[in-house]
């Protein structure tokens, strides 16, 4: 997973060799296949990997292996993968992507209210509606580029947010949002037994049902909803690899590296960027639909522009334009958001209890602003540091580390790849 | 007719805030070519300068000769009157007047603070981003905005802090009588009127500074052609740094005076930032008059859209009108209302 995107020339040149050497499974070349298998393994065994500390121990609060958080990992992973197809490949920075997530969520919950609580139609509905919405927004926004594009997408997202809160209340539930209710029509479903609240399910398998495995003092939770979301994430990840390696993906990179040159060769970039925009909107819709399938409720706040900002953070933090980056970034942010924000001063005092009292108080006083409610401060600082020192995100950081440790002949080339990774900007 | 005038007046105060922030944004963009997403945070910092200053003014001590306040064996320590130092130094009348006028007076406090913050920001961070793509500039300043916002939240809490206007400005001015309509048909709070005049003076001052001083001339030349000015042996970077400080001060002053209209809270900057960017883009990237014009225009349009008559026909239009106008302007006049050719065109 050293060179994933920028050195496409090298990938292209070595492609026939790789094909001959290892054959292609599912249309993936050697490196991509191992990357995909890595993500597959991580997703499958997440309940184990994320629960390394025994229950009840002091470190158990670092465990992330509970269903709600694991679902968030993969769902926001999908969102970030989709965003990366637009931003990472074409360089168009959309500041309104949360709108598609929100629209997808609303579409999903209406499918569950009107048709059936089975999640499959809800997810399909989310993708389709978000895709259509993205088509409209993209068609208009993509007439401009650069910061104008960012502002246009932002304007559309804020409009959707404002409308969802005010005028569209009959459809969106306004401030209270939407939940599944006992008296929803659900024309495809059998009558619910009285007193049974409707639940999201997959052909009868309840999304909230979990199987708990106890091994000694460890408890591992296997949640049906998580595995559905993880399956979708793998599908999304696989598709994004295929897009990255396709001629279509190559065209998108051409848009990023020099749109003028593309125009001079007689190619209009609009169809390509619009397609990328719609695809990435559909990914966001999928994520929105999955969110609904997990917790069966929607509120307009998930369309606010800070939510759009968050997906930008995830992608940049992980590494824009890389395959694995967005997934890493989404996991990283969601993990620390949940874990760090839970740390309070009592916990800190427990940790540093081994220090002399005076020193303990000083250390706690220094760390305290950065944890708990101050988590956003840490996030902001981290984000600034990443943009300043590691424009390629965590992936670039990993590569730099690898270079330091490997010290073989390839070291130089990896370094130069990392340097190349900084997105070139036309007209700069 | 009176309703129309009232809406125009209503639009002016918000429009003034938009115009001031957009002016600062445009100054930074026009001089340094940096898209500053932390500008809303500077507005917020200005508002908190006012909060800090009024807190400093009301710092007090309990006079030693306050006497024994315990009544019947119970101590009423909390009842002991704190005397602010200001009152102690300047006497009862002047001291209380100073505290009452805390918000306008904090302008004097905010200018040096904001210029210092602006210059530090430019030298410490923005300087390293001139050659980086606009996306990187947006992202790093966005991160900075989050950090500044969280720092303020840590020290001042998440709740809005009321900062009252001087008591002389409490109440409303009756325009109706002045213009010959029924009394009470057009009333407008004094402080909002003050805010508008303050904004107008500030804007005029910035334009005059750029237009009529040698420094301003050099800066304008630098905006037009930075390299040539540099080759003429002028240290243009230093002047641009100062302009960044000035832009920060403009945003800060807009924030200082906005306190009595809307109690400052830590995320007020972000709320204004999004709209200000829309304003800048509508006005035309890099055009100072465009930013001011678009600021007032959008403020007034927003006020008109909030009229009940309009809302009855088009419900919810007040929430989205600015974005709608922005979309229409961007699609019909790609460079904004007064944008120049060749600015920000990738």
């Amino acid at each position: 997973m050293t060179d994933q995107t920028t050195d496409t020339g090298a990938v292209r040149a070595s492609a026939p060799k790789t094909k001959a050497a290892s054959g292609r499974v599912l249309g993936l070349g050697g490196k991509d296949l191992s990357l995909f298998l890595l993500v597959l393994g991580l997703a499958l065994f997440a309940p184990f990997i994320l629960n390394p500390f025994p229950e009840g121990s002091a470190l158990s609060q670092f465990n992330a292996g509970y269903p709600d958080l694991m679902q968030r990992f993969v769902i926001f992973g999908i969102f970030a993968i989709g965003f990366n197809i637009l931003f990472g490949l074409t360089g168009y920075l959309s500041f309104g992507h949360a709108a598609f997530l929100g629209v997808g969520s609303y579409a999903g919950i209406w499918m569950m209210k009107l048709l059936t609580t089975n999640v499959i139609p809800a997810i399909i509905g989310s993708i389709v509606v978000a895709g259509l919405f993205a088509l409209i927004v993209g068609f208009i926004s993509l007439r401009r580029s650069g910061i104008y594009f960012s502002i246009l997408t932002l304007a559309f997202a804020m409009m959707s947010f404002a409308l969802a809160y005010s005028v569209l209340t009959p459809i969106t539930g306004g401030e209270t949002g939407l939940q599944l209710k006992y008296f929803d029509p659900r024309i495809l479903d059998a009558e619910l037994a009285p007193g049974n609240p409707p639940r999201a399910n997959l052909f009868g398998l309840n999304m909230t049902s979990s199987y708990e495995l106890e091994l000694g003092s460890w408890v591992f939770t296997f949640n049906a909803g998580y595995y559905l979301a993880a399956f979708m994430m793998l599908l999304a990840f696989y598709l994004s690899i295929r897009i990255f390696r396709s001629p279509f993906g190559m065209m998108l990179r051409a848009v990023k590296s020099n749109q003028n040159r593309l125009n001079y060769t007689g190619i209009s970039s609009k169809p390509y960027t619009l397609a990328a925009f719609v695809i990435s909107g559909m990914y966001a819709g999928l994520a929105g639909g999955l969110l609904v399938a997990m917790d069966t409720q929607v509120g307009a706040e998930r369309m606010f522009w800070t939510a759009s900002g968050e997906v930008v953070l995830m992608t940049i933090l992980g590494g824009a334009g890389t395959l694995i980056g967005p997934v890493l970034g989404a996991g990283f942010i969601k993990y620390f958001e949940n874990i760090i924000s839970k740390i309070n001063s009592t916990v800190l005092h427990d940790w540093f209890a081994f220090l002399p009292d005076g020193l303990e108080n000083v250390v706690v006083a220094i760390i305290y602003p950065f944890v708990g409610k101050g988590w956003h401060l840490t996030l902001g600082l981290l984000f600034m540091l990443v943009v300043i020192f590691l424009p390629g995100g965590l992936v670039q950081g990993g590569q730099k580390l690898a270079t330091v440790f490997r010290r073989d002949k390839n070291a130089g080339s990896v370094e130069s790849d990392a340097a190349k990774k900084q997105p070139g900007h036309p007209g700069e | 007719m009176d309703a129309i005038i009232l809406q125009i007046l209503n639009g002016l105060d918000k429009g003034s805030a938009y115009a001031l922030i957009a002016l600062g944004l445009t100054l930074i963009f026009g001089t340094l070519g940096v898209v500053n997403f932390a500008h809303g945070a500077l507005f917020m910092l200005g508002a908190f300068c006012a909060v800090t200053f009024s807190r400093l003014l009301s710092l007090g001590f309990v006079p030693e000769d306050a006497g024994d306040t315990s009544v019947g064996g119970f101590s009423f320590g909390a009842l002991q009157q704190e005397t602010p130092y200001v009152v102690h130094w300047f006497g009862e009348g002047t001291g209380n007047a100073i505290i009452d006028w805390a918000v306008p007076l904090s302008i004097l406090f905010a200018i040096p603070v904001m210029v210092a913050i602006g210059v530090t920001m430019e030298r410490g961070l923005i300087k390293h981003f001139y050659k980086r793509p606009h996306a990187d500039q947006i992202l790093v300043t966005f991160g900075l905005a989050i950090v500044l916002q969280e720092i303020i939240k840590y020290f001042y809490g998440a709740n809005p802090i009321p900062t009252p206007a001087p008591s002389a400005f409490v109440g409303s001015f009756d325009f109706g009588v002045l213009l010959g309509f029924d009394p009470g048909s057009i009333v407008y709070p004094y402080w909002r009127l003050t805010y508008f005049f303050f904004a107008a003076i500030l804007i005029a001052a910035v334009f005059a500074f750029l237009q009529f001083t040698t420094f301003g001339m050099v800066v304008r030349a630098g905006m037009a052609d930075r390299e040539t000015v540099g080759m003429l042996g002028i240290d243009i970077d230093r002047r641009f740094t100062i302009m960044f400080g000035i832009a920060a001060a403009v945003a800060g002053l807009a924030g200082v005076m906005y306190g009595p209209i809307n109690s400052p809270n830590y995320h007020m900057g972000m709320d204004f930032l999004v709209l200000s960017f829309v304003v800048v883009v509508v006005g035309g990237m890099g055009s100072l008059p465009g930013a001011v014009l678009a600021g007032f225009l959008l403020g007034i349009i927003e006020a008109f859209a909030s009229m009940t008559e309009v809302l009855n026909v088009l419900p919810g239009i007040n929430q989205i009108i600015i974005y709608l106008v922005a979309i229409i302007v961007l699609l019909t006049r790609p460079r904004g209302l007064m944008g120049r050719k060749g600015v920000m065109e990738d």
Side-chain angles (χ1 to χ4, degrees):
Chain A
M1 51 171 278
T2 48
D3 41 11
Q4 290 163 5
T5 55
T6 42
D7 50 346
T8 45
V11 168
R12 209 196 219 165
S14 65
K17 234 186 286 168
T18 336
K19 216 185 253 175
S22 64
R24 292 168 82 90
V25 185
L26 291 168
L28 298 180
K31 254 174 201 169
D32 293 340
L33 187 65
S34 47
L35 190 64
F36 181 71
L37 289 178
L38 174 77
V39 174
L40 177 76
L42 284 178
L44 274 184
F45 298 107
F48 294 106
I49 300 166
L50 294 174
N51 253 7
F53 307 110
E55 207 65 20
S57 70
L59 289 172
S60 68
Q61 57 187 319
F62 288 110
N63 281 345
Y66 49 93
D68 183 50
L69 187 53
M70 288 195 298
Q71 289 165 3
R72 272 169 195 282
F73 284 164
V74 288
I75 292 174
F76 282 91
I78 295 174
F79 192 19
I81 291 172
F83 182 78
N84 189 39
I85 290 178
L86 179 71
F87 177 61
L89 286 182
T90 68
Y92 276 76
L93 176 60
S94 158
F95 243 82
H97 242 57
F100 306 124
L101 183 100
V103 168
S105 292
Y106 283 120
I109 201 147
W110 275 111
M111 293 298 263
M112 290 169 93
K113 272 171 161 318
L114 296 177
L115 287 177
T116 163
T117 48
N118 194 330
V119 293
I120 297 294
I123 291 174
I124 294 174
S126 310
I127 300 177
V128 171
V129 174
L132 287 176
F133 186 56
L135 185 67
I136 300 169
V137 173
F139 184 77
I140 299 172
S141 306
L142 283 166
R143 294 175 61 163
R144 311 302 318 278
S145 62
I147 185 164
Y148 295 104
F149 172 79
S150 304
I151 298 286
L152 276 173
T153 46
L154 180 64
F156 274 110
M158 288 308 285
M159 265 169 61
S160 324
F161 169 76
L163 287 178
Y165 248 116
S166 55
V167 191
L168 295 180
T169 303
I171 306 176
T172 61
E175 282 177 38
T176 39
L178 291 173
Q179 294 84 25
L180 291 189
K181 297 265 168 57
Y182 180 73
F183 295 105
D184 291 332
R186 282 192 298 279
I187 44 179
L188 294 183
D189 276 5
E191 191 97 352
L192 270 178
N196 265 0
R199 292 194 192 288
N201 62 70
L202 180 69
F203 303 111
L205 174 65
N206 194 331
M207 284 292 110
T208 51
S209 62
S210 300
Y211 168 72
E212 287 194 353
L213 173 70
E214 285 187 41
L215 286 177
S217 52
W218 277 268
V219 179
F220 302 108
T221 316
F222 302 92
N223 172 262
Y226 166 72
Y227 277 104
L228 174 75
F231 174 73
M232 290 293 174
M233 196 271 281
L234 288 171
L235 209 61
F237 187 61
Y238 172 72
L239 273 177
S240 103
I241 300 182
R242 292 303 298 265
I243 290 175
F244 267 63
R245 298 288 176 250
S246 67
F248 170 67
M250 207 74 91
M251 286 306 290
L252 295 181
R253 276 194 210 103
V255 171
K256 180 178 182 174
S257 58
N258 196 335
Q259 197 163 355
N260 281 337
R261 197 179 292 173
L262 202 62
N263 292 340
Y264 290 148
T265 50
I267 297 167
S268 164
S269 61
K270 183 80 184 276
Y272 295 98
T273 45
L274 185 59
F277 194 86
V278 172
I279 291 173
S280 111
M282 287 163 81
Y283 269 74
L286 170 62
L290 283 172
L291 276 179
V292 166
M294 299 305 141
D295 58 7
T296 64
Q297 55 177 355
V298 196
E301 71 282 345
R302 65 176 63 153
M303 298 168 63
F304 197 56
W305 71 274
T306 46
S308 305
E310 198 183 46
V311 72
V312 182
L313 295 193
M314 289 172 181
T315 312
I316 304 281
L317 190 66
T322 63
L323 282 168
I324 189 91
V327 187
L328 286 182
F332 190 87
I333 288 189
K334 283 292 160 194
Y335 179 79
F336 281 96
E337 182 182 334
N338 276 268
I339 304 301
I340 293 195
S341 56
K342 266 194 294 190
I343 300 172
N344 53 26
S345 63
T346 331
V347 176
L348 280 183
H349 277 289
D350 277 357
W351 284 356
F352 295 103
F354 64 90
L355 293 173
D357 264 358
L359 195 60
E360 178 189 330
N361 288 335
V362 172
V363 172
V364 169
I366 292 173
I367 298 181
Y368 183 65
F370 295 96
V371 298
K373 285 177 188 159
W375 140 249
H376 276 107
L377 179 60
T378 319
L379 179 67
L381 282 174
L382 192 74
F383 182 62
M384 280 174 69
L385 291 178
V386 167
V387 178
I388 296 170
F389 297 111
L390 279 178
L394 294 176
V395 169
Q396 192 195 351
Q399 287 168 354
K400 280 193 173 167
L401 273 183
T403 326
V404 172
F405 285 113
R406 201 178 300 141
R407 292 179 185 285
D408 61 4
K409 280 176 196 166
N410 293 333
S413 79
V414 174
E415 184 84 340
S416 64
D417 286 344
K420 257 192 279 173
K421 199 156 250 130
Q422 302 187 10
H425 203 66
E428 278 288 318
Chain B
M1 185 59 201
D2 49 346
I4 293 176
I5 295 176
L6 184 63
Q7 292 315 320
I8 291 179
L9 286 175
N10 277 340
L12 283 183
D13 60 320
K14 242 191 173 166
S16 318
Y18 294 156
L20 284 178
I21 302 177
L23 182 69
L25 270 177
T26 312
L27 270 181
I28 293 175
F29 181 76
T31 51
L32 300 167
V34 170
V35 181
N36 182 18
F37 254 56
H39 210 70
L42 292 174
F43 175 76
M44 183 263 306
L45 285 182
F48 277 90
C49 276
V51 173
T52 315
F53 190 67
S54 58
R55 282 195 181 170
L56 282 179
L57 282 185
S58 19
L59 266 189
F61 63 102
V62 182
E64 281 169 18
D65 58 344
D68 187 15
T69 51
S70 60
V71 179
F74 293 99
S75 174
F76 290 92
L79 282 182
Q80 278 184 343
Q81 272 294 321
E82 271 201 349
T83 314
Y85 284 111
V86 190
V87 173
H88 185 64
W89 293 333
F90 296 101
E92 191 78 18
T94 329
N96 281 331
I98 289 178
I99 292 176
D100 188 32
W101 281 73
V103 170
L105 282 177
S106 39
I107 291 176
L108 301 175
F109 171 71
I111 291 177
V113 171
M114 293 310 297
V115 170
I117 290 175
V119 170
T120 318
M121 223 172 111
E122 201 273 336
R123 285 289 95 183
L125 181 70
I126 312 272
K127 185 177 80 174
H128 307 288
F129 277 80
Y130 293 154
K131 296 275 183 284
R132 302 270 286 264
H134 285 304
D136 279 9
Q137 298 169 353
I138 293 178
L139 294 168
V140 80
T141 46
F142 181 57
L144 180 67
I146 297 177
V147 170
L148 290 176
Q149 182 173 318
E150 289 301 314
I151 290 174
I152 290 294
K153 184 175 152 196
Y154 180 73
F155 284 107
Y156 292 88
N159 294 326
I161 302 166
T163 45
S167 47
F169 289 94
V170 175
S172 299
F173 181 66
D174 200 334
F175 269 105
V177 181
L178 194 73
L179 297 172
F181 297 109
D182 297 333
S185 58
I186 309 176
V187 286
Y188 197 63
Y190 283 119
W191 184 257
R192 289 178 184 236
L193 205 60
T194 317
Y195 192 81
F196 168 67
F197 282 118
F198 172 76
I201 291 170
L202 198 55
I203 291 168
V206 170
F207 275 93
F209 178 69
L210 284 176
Q211 209 67 36
F212 301 126
T213 62
T214 319
F215 187 95
M217 190 184 71
V218 173
V219 167
R220 275 185 296 132
M223 280 165 89
D225 190 342
R226 181 181 188 149
E227 270 182 34
T228 312
V229 175
M231 279 176 207
L232 290 174
I234 294 169
D235 188 357
I236 191 72
D237 285 354
R238 206 173 61 87
R239 288 165 203 251
F240 280 179
T241 307
I242 295 172
M243 282 317 287
F244 195 101
I246 292 175
V250 169
L253 292 185
V256 167
M257 298 291 276
Y258 206 71
I261 299 179
N262 246 347
S263 299
N265 57 24
Y266 72 98
H267 54 76
M268 69 190 291
M270 285 292 190
D271 302 344
F272 267 93
L273 175 84
V274 175
L275 286 171
S276 311
F277 255 102
V278 173
V279 167
V280 169
V281 170
V282 167
M285 250 4 232
S287 159
L288 294 173
V292 175
L293 177 78
F296 282 112
L297 199 66
L298 288 180
I300 291 170
I301 289 179
E302 196 184 15
F304 271 107
S306 323
M307 286 168 75
T308 12
E309 291 86 349
V310 178
L311 284 180
N312 285 339
V313 185
L314 297 164
I317 187 76
N318 59 334
Q319 307 271 340
I320 59 166
I321 183 73
I322 287 194
Y323 303 109
L324 215 55
V325 170
I327 290 168
I328 294 168
V329 167
L330 276 190
L331 294 180
T332 52
R333 286 187 64 88
R335 287 187 196 110
L337 292 177
M338 301 178 77
R340 283 173 295 151
K341 198 176 173 182
V343 175
M344 253 335 269
E345 287 174 5
D346 300 337

